[in-house]
Amino acid sequence: MSLKTLQDLLDEGVDGRHVLVRSDFNVPLNDAGEITDPGRITASLPTIQALVDGGAKVILSAHLGRPKGEANPKYSLAPVAEALSDALGQWVALAGDVTGEDAHERANGLTEGDVMLVENVRFDPRETAKDEAERGAFADELAALAADDGAFVSDGFGVVHREQASVYDVAKRLPAYAGKLVEKEVTVLEKTATDPEHPYVVVLGGSKVSDKLGVIEALAGKADKLIIGGGMCYTFLAAQGYNTQKSLLQEEMIDTCKDLLDRFGDKLVLPVDLLAAAEFSADAENRVVALAGIPEGWLSPDIGPESVREFAEVLSTAKTIFWNGPMGVFEMAPFAKGTEGVAQAIIDATADNGAFSVVGGGDSAASVRALGLDEDGFSHISTGGGASLEFLEGKELPGVAVLNQ
Ligand code: ADP
Ligand code: MG
């Protein structure tokens, strides 16, 4: 099995052909609707530029947020179209609909090297329908945008683990290729998944505890150490009998955590101290406490400094590192030290120990940029959190499998 790639398509020739591209433009927006982290847009540019240079008529598709199957201006791709226009140095028109009349007229009107964007694919409920026929009908409409001699390029790595119309079903309806981003992600993650150099240290944090418990199970056999911080760790601490007070907790997962501790206790590395805060607010009173010392009614928004030292020690010997999930609520400056310290330790291990380091996860990647850390200090920053986790768990990603020939 090998992936059909953008290079294969460019070798066939794209001059004058419509090429439908599924990108990942699911960027964070602030209340004013401004893009706060353009990482995913930047990452999408090489594929788009290569198609433009080849003379393709480029039609971009993507989702933004969760508009739940109906058109909603709050989730319009308008800010993305603007950012793309700036980044590419050419006008990127946004269609007023996804596969409606406006999208079709604009697609028909493209000339060589033009780029357009259709509206948020999740404005259409069929995009994420469970029913294959419903998704298929929508995928037919998307494929029709690319006309008779068209092609499909899948470049939204953040969504390839989803069986969705614009990712998966459309790839069965047009000649389909992996974009540069998807190709690079798959190459890097394949190496990490199948042949990691040891010691292999996995760092898990973030807020989606139940999502990530499966990863621990799957990676425990492969990794030498699993460091657990962030919102994930409190359910483990509760399983060890600590009172985590108002910290993030998934009560129904406590037994699962107990079981994981029993089975993989020697591999799991948990915090040894915590930051505690009186409230979930940047200006709340806060102090470093022992695991058993979160004051009544307080919560823990970050790991403590001794935990950072211990985690850094483990990381300093690693030859392969995969990091998913911030160690604390890094969005608030007083709670960012854990994430910053661990990220720096990974950068140091990469530079000093020659470790191969991969960052996966939208918020983890955003934290690197938000904290002003050197993105080039990591071997690879993945644009797909869920997708990279599923890949490392050894699951087949439908949006990648469909590109194999
Ligand atoms: P990623 O996108 O990298 O996979 P997640 O989406 O799982 O990461 O989690 C990111 C979020 O986790 C961040 O917004 C961060 O504020 C939150 N988080 C981290 N630590 C804590 C904590 N101790 N309490 C509450 N939220 C936390
Ligand atoms: Mg996230």
Side-chain angles (χ1 to χ4, degrees):
M1 260 198 336
S2 81
L3 213 54
K4 282 195 294 171
T5 66
L6 181 69
Q7 195 54 52
D8 296 327
L9 173 61
L10 294 171
D11 290 346
E12 286 167 29
V14 292
D15 195 21
R17 292 172 68 186
H18 285 89
V19 179
L20 177 70
V21 183
R22 176 57 161 100
S23 301
D24 180 1
F25 297 140
N26 192 24
V27 288
L29 300 174
N30 63 18
D31 292 340
E34 294 156 349
I35 297 169
T36 53
D37 179 45
R40 286 178 163 160
I41 292 180
T42 313
S44 75
L45 297 175
T47 290
I48 301 171
Q49 191 64 57
L51 289 167
V52 168
D53 293 345
K57 301 172 177 175
V58 183
I59 305 161
L60 304 172
S61 65
H63 78 281
L64 178 67
R66 295 173 190 270
K68 307 225 168 84
E70 49 187 72
N72 178 344
K74 190 175 158 209
Y75 299 108
S76 168
L77 286 168
V80 172
E82 210 181 298
L84 280 170
S85 299
D86 286 346
L88 292 167
Q90 71 181 78
W91 176 240
V92 176
L94 173 67
D97 48 33
V98 191
T99 56
E101 213 173 302
D102 192 46
H104 275 277
E105 269 174 25
R106 286 179 188 275
N108 289 337
L110 294 174
T111 58
E112 286 76 3
D114 281 351
V115 182
M116 66 171 280
L117 179 61
V118 297
E119 256 300 0
N120 192 334
V121 288
R122 291 194 188 166
F123 283 0
D124 194 306
R126 295 171 298 173
E127 166 70 0
T128 56
K130 293 265 180 302
D131 182 56
E132 196 177 338
E134 273 181 55
R135 288 200 319 266
F138 183 47
D140 284 340
E141 293 176 19
L142 284 166
L145 290 171
D148 297 336
D149 61 345
F152 173 67
V153 172
S154 177
D155 209 30
F157 185 70
V159 285
V160 289
H161 58 316
R162 306 277 190 219
E163 227 166 70
Q164 295 175 345
S166 69
V167 178
Y168 173 74
D169 303 88
V170 76
K172 296 177 163 179
R173 287 163 168 78
L174 289 169
Y177 307 82
K180 286 178 189 267
L181 189 55
V182 164
E183 185 190 1
K184 181 169 169 228
E185 295 268 13
V186 168
T187 309
V188 167
L189 292 172
E190 209 147 59
K191 177 170 150 31
T192 315
T194 56
D195 190 22
E197 197 181 336
H198 292 274
Y200 176 20
V201 179
V202 174
V203 185
L204 291 175
S207 55
K208 299 173 207 152
V209 185
S210 47
D211 283 15
K212 294 181 185 182
L213 289 176
V215 185
I216 299 182
E217 181 89 48
L219 289 182
K222 296 179 179 169
D224 300 291
K225 292 283 180 199
L226 285 149
I227 293 174
I228 296 171
M232 287 198 81
C233 73
Y234 306 96
T235 307
F236 280 94
L237 294 176
Q240 289 180 325
Y242 293 106
N243 186 341
T244 55
Q245 299 290 343
K246 297 227 158 79
S247 308
L248 207 63
L249 181 69
Q250 258 188 308
E251 225 148 327
E252 71 284 5
M253 288 291 162
I254 291 179
D255 282 339
T256 309
C257 288
K258 275 186 186 155
D259 176 56
L260 289 170
L261 283 164
D262 282 345
R263 285 158 60 215
F264 308 119
D266 54 333
K267 287 193 175 184
L268 300 184
V269 185
L270 286 160
V272 293
D273 63 349
L274 300 167
L275 187 72
E279 300 172 48
F280 192 78
S281 147
D283 45 23
E285 184 185 348
N286 72 66
R287 62 172 176 269
V288 174
V289 298
L291 297 181
I294 305 177
E296 202 181 330
W298 286 34
L299 58 92
S300 172
D302 196 10
I303 58 173
E306 195 52 41
S307 306
V308 173
R309 268 190 290 277
E310 294 223 352
F311 291 0
E313 175 89 37
V314 173
L315 286 163
S316 69
T317 62
K319 281 290 181 191
T320 304
I321 299 169
F322 178 72
W323 170 36
N324 171 278
M327 295 291 100
V329 186
F330 73 93
E331 295 92 340
M332 299 182 194
F335 311 146
K337 291 195 190 79
T339 304
E340 188 175 7
V342 166
Q344 189 60 53
I346 297 173
I347 291 173
D348 291 345
T350 310
D352 303 342
N353 205 36
F356 184 74
S357 57
V358 178
V359 184
D363 292 291
S364 310
S367 77
V368 169
R369 290 185 284 269
L371 296 170
L373 296 163
D374 180 14
E375 286 182 86
D376 296 333
F378 302 92
S379 310
H380 178 68
I381 299 186
S382 174
T383 50
S388 56
L389 281 175
E390 289 196 14
F391 202 116
L392 291 190
E393 280 176 63
K395 290 186 187 160
E396 183 179 88
L397 308 181
V400 172
V402 76
L403 307 174
N404 279 315
Q405 54 178 5

